[in-house]
Each structure stands twice: as C-alpha cells, then as structure tokens.
Amino acid sequence: MIRIGVDTGGTFTDFVVEEAGRLTRFKLPSTPDDPSRAVLEGIRRALGARGGIVLHGTTVATNALLTRGGARVALVATAGFEDVLQIGRQARPELYRLEPRVPAPLVPARLRLGLAERVGPRGETLRALGEPALRATVRKVAGLKPDAVAVALLHAYANPAHERRVAAALRRAGLRVSVSHELAPEFREYERTATTVANAYVQPVLELYLTRLARRLGAGRTLWVMSSSGGLMRPDRAAREPVRTLLSGPAGGVAAALRLGRALGRTRLITFDMGGTSTDVALLDGEPEPSLERTLEGLPLRVPMLDIHTVGAGGGSYVRADATGALRTGPESAGADPGPAAWGEGDEPTLTDAHLVLGTLWPEFLLGPPADRDLAEDAFAGLAGRLGLSVERAARGALDVADAVMERALRRISVERGHDPSDFTLVSFGGAGGLHAARLASRLGVRRVLAPLDAAAFSAWGLLGSAARSEHSAPVLRRLDEMPPARLERLLDALERRVRAGLRREGARRVTLVRRVDLRYAGQSYELTVPFGPRLRQAFDAAHRRAYGVCDPSRPVEVVSLRVRGAGPAPRAPLPGFEKQPYLRRFLRPTVYFGRPVPVVPAAELGPREVLKGPAFVLTFASTIVVPEGWQAGRAAAGAVELVAAETRGARRSPGRAGAKSPRRAPGNPAAKPARRSPGSR
C-alpha cells in the first residue's frame, strides 16, 4: 500500500511518498488559516483516487499553545489548591529583570474551582468526596460554559478514585474532560496540573482538525499521527491526548536522523533542523531517551518527549533593528503568508531575503511564488539606511545574528550538558539547514556534517520509518531497600500488560518492551532514569557520576517511578538515492558572499569519489548546501552529502563514528575554541 509522510511547517508542508520501494517528494505552501487544506491537496496529488496510509507530523496543537489560541478551559482541583497553576514553583524566570515577564496561566482565576475532597500521598482518603459536593461542582462547571475541563486532584497519582468519579460526572454532563491520572500519573502537583490543563487547552483545536481531516481523507485511507516521543498513534488517541503531539513535527526529523546515522554506523549525532519558521536541535548519543522534564511556553509538561530544543530562527524569520540599533532576527516569521519580501507580498526583510542579497540562494531555485532578488534588496535597503550600513553588510549581519542564536541552542544541548560537540556529527536538514550548517559546525568545533539529499523533506521521510509506541508509568516513592526485586517485577509486569494492550489497540502484534526505573538519593528533589536490572543500585550510582561528576554508594536510594515503553515493528523505508534532477545543473556563480565566482554542483553530479573543495555550493531537492573555505564535500552512503573540515580529511579518527576514541577537549579551554570569524566576513 502507498504510504505518505506529511510534515506541516510554518512555511511549507512537506510530502514524501513511498510506492513499490520508490520515493518521490514535493512541497506545497502551508495554509496557516486551515492547515488541512495543504495536507489534503498534497494527498490528492499523491494518491488521486487510490487508497493509502498517511503518516502525519502536525503543529496544530503546538501553534494553539504558543499563540494562546486554545480553548476556554475550566480547572477542577482539590479545595485550597485551585491556584497551584499560578503559583507554580515560585522560580524567577528572568533573574536580573526587575519586572520579570511571567506568562499568564491558561486558566484564569474565575474558571478555577475547588472541590471538597482530599487524598493523602499514600493514597489514603483524608476527606471523602460527597455526592452533594460533586453535583454542585458539576453544576458550577457547566454554568461556566467551558470548551474543555481539566481535573487535577491532590495525590490522584496514588489513588485516582475521586478523579474518576469527577470525570465520569462531567462527561455525563456532556463536557470534554482531561484527567491528570490518565495523562501524567506522577507526583509533583504543579507539573501534573499544568500538563492536564495544557491537554484540555489544545484538545478542542486538535480534535476538530483531526476529525475534519479524517472525514475528508476519503475511503481506503488510514491516518496516523506522530507523537512527541517519536512514535505513531491513532488519531482518536491523539485527539484525546493532544499534549503528546506538541513536538510532533520535529520528532519526525529526529527519527530520520537516527535512521540515517545507523545506516552510516554513527550513533553520536547532533540534529540541526532549520525550516522556514524555527530551528529545532537535539543531541543523540545512542538511542534517544524521551524526557519528562520539558517546558514549553513556560509550562512544565510531564509526558514523554524527545529532548528537542527550539528557537525562533528560520528562513522566514524577520530581520529588524531594536531600540538600540542592534540587529535582531525572529522569533516572528513571515511564514507562508506573506512570505519573504522577495515573494512580493511583504516589505520586511527575512533571512531568506538576506541569502538572496548575498547570492547564497537564487530565485530560480526557490520554491513558492516567483522570487525577485531586487525586492529582497529593496527590503534590506530601508533597514540598512537606518543602521548606516550597506545592503550587503546588513544582510551579512542578519546571518551572523541568526547564527549566534542557533549556536546558543546547539551549545545548550551539548556543552551545557557535559558533551564535547567535536565528538559528534552534525546532521543538517530542513530547507534552510544547509545554508548555515558548516558555519555553525566551525563555531562548535564539529568536523563532520551530514546533509541528507531529502533535507528539505527529511522529517516527512522520518515518519515513513516510525512505529507505534506507548508508555506507562507508576509512582512508587519508596526506598530501594524496602522494595524487594520480586515486588518491582510485579509492578513492572502490570505496566507491561497495559503497554501491550495499548499497542494491540494500535494494531501492533509484535512488541518490543523496555523497562526503566526513576531513582534518586534520599532527600534529592530530582531523579535519574536507568534501565531495570539486577544491579539497579550500581547502575544508578554510575548514572549519577556521569550526570553530576559524583556519586555516594553509602547513601540510601529512593525509587520514584517505574516505566515501561513499548514499540511495534518499524517499517523499512527506502533511503533516497542520488537521482538526477533535470532542473539542476553544474555551473559557476559569482556571489557577494564569497566575493568571487564559485562552483555550483548538483548533488547527483558529484562523482562517487569526487571531493569538492570549498568555497562551493551543492544543490539538492529544494535546498542549498554552503561549503565554506576550509571544508570539502563529497558523497556519503545512505543518500547524503558529507561535509568535512579540510584538516580532518584522511585523519585516522572519524569523529562521531560508533566506538571512536578521542582525547576529550574541555569545552571551556580557550586554546581549543574554534575560530568565530564567519566565512567571507571582513
């Protein structure tokens, strides 16, 4: 059956179609007013009247949360704890700001209701939930006319009986309900409440989108949705638990990078996904471990998510000057409408316009409406005049600022977490990734960059190789020496049964299971997750030493939670090949960026052993790879172009390859810092 990977972005919606072992891909401008229009148009173009399987990475829930365009939500909490959502952790978000900006809670005070009931931390009932109090609360909630209701009662992770009664009564009243013990059966009241509220906030939006999309798909077509943890789920589950889709689109790119790395024998990867609206980065050191400590728009979310960091820098990011006259890029983006100034609809310059001005992009190879380099220069002329710069210098400055923003993001997921970037390979994708990848790699000390041939639709390709996934957890909060191994086994067996049942509902018959345990030293506030096994204590001490540099084998250890993650069989998606594209040809192009004519080479015309020395450009489907001076490009296996810093060509060690050994460089060693001069800068 034909399978289609669909990834919706802020500027383009990407499609990769697999039919009889062959891949085709195309892009359509996104339709922000109704994302389903672009999705359905692409499916119609790919399938015609035929059936197929649609695998969808969506940003609908993410955009609803980021733009505060979600539903009117009511919150039911234990009496006295209605304001947990607003109090939070009382952490100061901006330490040196006299008046820090704290995002308003998703549920205002007038929509937060207290319920007379109380459960203790061991699950004991301290105050029974009376029927009169329950009926009165349901009447109050119904009178508020919310679009959705979040129910988060105190210690419901230990005993969900009260939450179940409340949820059942609200559903009988015809209300849409999100319940904390179903979404995040974890201790920490604030995080559990925030997760439940976020789910309720975006649920009506995503439910409407998926219902409309499924109805209009037509007969013989099956829809799957990518989750934030890197697995697929049915649309009905995604509609019930949309908080699990908040990183749906970027997760497809991480899955694709992992698969490409495996094909090349590389397990240490940094992903760099620069699209039209934002840049997403992640670090992969072996198998990715979904994280439960994720904050989005100021909200902590306790559901499994791949550890992806996002910044507002993309090809469509606006370039502006702030009140001090300093250049700024993003986070606002021109998106698909009006798009870059070169499209003729907007008059504010974007990063795409900066590349057109400097000659690293060319109008004839840009997707979307016809582009005009003169319009890009006109947009930068006004900004340059206000700053007293030439048009070219303003455009180059915009790229330098964007690089600084993206470099900080890459350092945050690597250096700040104890990793040396030079031990990793940078995997660059997204329509704009190849334009910046080598420059950023130089700043980080990374010596190898992989640019997939399908970089502009890489996340959509990643969906084709993804499998159904499910994860369940159970709180324990007991000392390890009080929990016999047999008891832990019984609890994990119960979780396994829930995971298997969930995956059977998703259609998976063969299931791979992974058991994990959250542990911490007694008295600590946060825990580490380690694989379950006979030497659990030793595994935790080793993990603590890796994470913090110290461990204490004499100190008691506490079991916080147990986790079981399961996945169905992953389908095999073919790797893209170096097929020729008639509209791409080899030629010389003078550029302001490099100050002289440089070769422009389609990836398919690179000989199997050809080494293209920078400065040069390599063209792939809908993307351009900049090869700066001091770098070389050539073919890699598995459908990718590999960029190598010239001094490492022929070196005995290949950074990022599985099992490679190298002397570690201290990230703070000034002598080891890479040069920060941008290629071609004065």
Side-chain angles (χ1 to χ4, degrees):
M1 183 169 283
I2 303 172
R3 300 191 307 142
I4 308 175
V6 183
D7 178 42
T8 302
T11 306
F12 287 100
T13 298
D14 305 332
F15 301 85
V16 176
V17 184
E18 180 194 358
E19 182 176 7
R22 293 175 58 87
L23 293 177
T24 57
R25 88 287 277 174
F26 58 93
K27 299 166 79 77
L28 294 176
S30 294
T31 49
D33 59 314
D34 179 6
S36 67
R37 285 197 291 114
V39 173
L40 290 166
E41 170 59 23
I43 293 170
R44 183 198 62 76
R45 178 183 297 188
L47 292 179
R50 298 174 296 174
I53 298 173
V54 179
L55 313 169
H56 189 14
T58 174
T59 57
V60 169
T62 314
N63 292 339
L65 186 63
L66 295 180
T67 63
R68 293 299 177 107
R72 174 183 167 89
V73 176
L75 170 64
V76 177
T78 300
F81 291 83
E82 302 93 324
D83 296 325
V84 162
L85 190 66
Q86 186 154 4
I87 296 170
R89 289 290 171 195
Q90 301 186 54
R92 191 179 182 91
E94 297 168 297
L95 189 59
Y96 300 107
R97 193 180 183 92
L98 295 178
E99 296 182 3
R101 296 163 294 185
V102 180
L106 297 179
V107 182
R110 66 181 182 279
L111 297 179
R112 303 196 291 258
L113 304 176
L115 180 62
E117 64 83 40
R118 185 73 177 264
V119 170
R122 301 297 184 193
E124 70 276 22
T125 300
L126 302 178
R127 184 177 185 179
L129 173 59
E131 197 62 31
L134 177 58
R135 287 197 298 267
T137 299
V138 172
R139 284 196 301 272
K140 289 178 184 177
V141 171
L144 294 171
K145 295 182 170 34
D147 299 314
V149 184
V151 180
L153 302 181
L154 197 63
H155 301 304
Y157 60 88
N159 181 356
H162 288 180
E163 274 199 354
R164 288 180 179 138
R165 286 180 59 195
V166 174
L170 290 168
R171 285 167 178 153
R172 285 195 298 270
L175 295 165
R176 186 185 285 108
V177 184
S178 296
V179 192
S180 77
H181 77 269
E182 295 175 355
L183 291 165
E186 312 271 348
F187 84 111
R188 296 191 177 102
E189 299 305 315
Y190 170 52
E191 287 79 0
R192 186 163 52 86
T193 302
T195 301
T196 310
V197 166
N199 192 78
Y201 187 73
V202 299
Q203 185 180 10
V205 179
L206 189 64
E207 185 182 82
L208 176 63
Y209 171 75
L210 291 177
T211 301
R212 179 188 302 159
L213 185 60
R215 185 176 62 246
R216 295 163 65 187
L217 269 182
R221 297 172 183 176
T222 306
L223 177 66
W224 290 81
V225 179
M226 189 67 162
S227 73
S228 302
S229 64
L232 297 169
M233 55 184 176
R234 296 282 189 184
D236 56 342
R237 184 185 173 205
R240 288 194 313 273
E241 302 176 357
V243 72
R244 300 186 189 277
T245 71
L246 290 173
L247 293 180
S248 172
V254 173
L258 182 66
R259 185 160 180 263
L260 178 65
R262 284 175 180 159
L264 293 169
R266 306 190 190 186
T267 59
R268 311 195 78 188
L269 307 170
I270 296 175
T271 69
F272 170 62
D273 177 6
M274 185 179 180
T277 304
S278 62
T279 294
D280 304 303
V281 297
L283 184 140
L284 303 177
D285 196 353
E287 286 292 323
E289 183 69 37
S291 170
L292 287 169
E293 296 179 15
R294 175 75 192 193
T295 300
L296 192 63
E297 195 61 11
L299 289 173
L301 301 171
R302 294 288 294 182
V303 291
M305 293 186 175
L306 293 176
D307 194 1
I308 300 170
H309 183 58
T310 302
V311 291
S317 294
Y318 284 121
V319 181
R320 293 165 173 164
D322 64 16
T324 68
L327 277 172
R328 293 285 182 265
T329 61
E332 297 86 1
S333 172
D337 184 14
W343 285 6
E345 297 295 329
D347 54 7
E348 283 197 80
T350 67
L351 291 179
T352 295
D353 295 307
H355 282 290
L356 284 165
V357 168
L358 295 173
T360 48
L361 282 179
W362 310 285
E364 61 265 37
F365 296 132
L366 274 182
L367 293 182
D372 187 329
R373 184 175 184 271
D374 291 339
L375 292 177
E377 289 186 344
D378 290 345
F380 264 99
L383 177 66
R386 294 194 298 274
L387 298 175
L389 301 173
S390 68
V391 169
E392 289 80 8
R393 189 67 194 92
R396 191 182 299 278
L399 299 188
D400 289 341
V401 170
D403 281 349
V405 171
M406 294 182 288
E407 181 189 355
R408 283 197 299 271
L410 290 164
R411 288 187 179 277
R412 180 170 180 178
I413 61 158
S414 57
V415 176
E416 291 184 15
R417 299 180 185 178
H419 297 282
D420 184 346
S422 67
D423 292 336
F424 291 78
T425 297
L426 186 72
V427 182
S428 163
F429 52 99
L435 295 167
H436 295 257
R439 280 166 51 110
L440 289 168
S442 295
R443 292 174 177 231
L444 292 164
V446 173
R447 295 183 287 273
R448 291 181 183 267
V449 175
L450 285 176
L453 296 180
D454 272 349
F458 196 55
S459 294
W461 177 76
L463 296 170
L464 297 177
S466 299
R469 286 190 182 180
S470 179
E471 178 168 327
H472 284 282
S473 64
V476 178
L477 295 174
R478 294 285 195 280
R479 278 178 48 160
L480 180 60
D481 55 16
E482 298 173 353
M483 296 292 293
R487 185 176 177 188
L488 291 175
E489 289 273 7
R490 287 195 299 272
L491 292 171
L492 287 165
D493 287 344
L495 289 176
E496 275 196 12
R497 288 192 291 272
R498 294 177 62 191
V499 170
R500 287 183 185 276
L503 288 171
R504 279 197 298 269
R505 289 192 293 271
E506 303 280 5
R509 292 294 174 260
R510 291 185 294 109
V511 175
T512 303
L513 297 167
V514 178
R515 294 178 166 195
R516 295 281 192 269
V517 185
D518 294 348
L519 298 170
R520 65 185 180 186
Y521 289 123
Q524 284 187 318
S525 298
Y526 294 95
E527 58 275 3
L528 293 173
T529 302
V530 299
F532 178 74
R535 297 175 60 82
L536 199 54
R537 170 61 197 252
Q538 291 82 350
F540 170 70
D541 286 334
H544 200 279
R545 180 177 291 279
R546 283 195 303 271
Y548 302 111
V550 297
C551 68
D552 187 354
S554 65
R555 190 170 177 179
V557 169
E558 188 177 31
V559 181
V560 178
S561 297
L562 302 177
R563 306 186 184 281
V564 174
R565 184 171 72 245
R572 291 184 177 273
L575 294 163
F578 282 85
E579 70 271 13
K580 292 191 176 183
Q581 295 161 324
Y583 67 94
L584 299 179
R585 64 191 186 282
R586 190 184 288 241
F587 58 96
L588 284 175
R589 172 78 70 163
T591 71
V592 177
Y593 188 76
F594 289 122
R596 64 183 188 274
V598 299
V600 179
V601 182
E605 292 191 13
L606 279 172
R609 297 183 181 276
E610 181 179 356
V611 174
L612 180 66
K613 294 184 178 181
F617 298 101
V618 178
L619 302 182
T620 67
F621 163 72
S623 65
T624 300
I625 303 167
V626 175
V627 186
E629 197 160 357
W631 285 77
Q632 300 172 351
R635 283 194 184 198
V641 174
E642 183 172 36
L643 276 63
V644 182
E647 64 272 16
T648 66
R649 175 66 71 175
R652 295 178 63 188
R653 174 181 173 270
S654 297
R657 289 189 181 275
K661 300 292 184 183
S662 68
R664 293 191 60 84
R665 187 189 69 199
N669 180 3
K673 288 184 178 178
R676 299 181 63 88
R677 185 171 66 87
S678 302
S681 61
R682 299 185 184 122

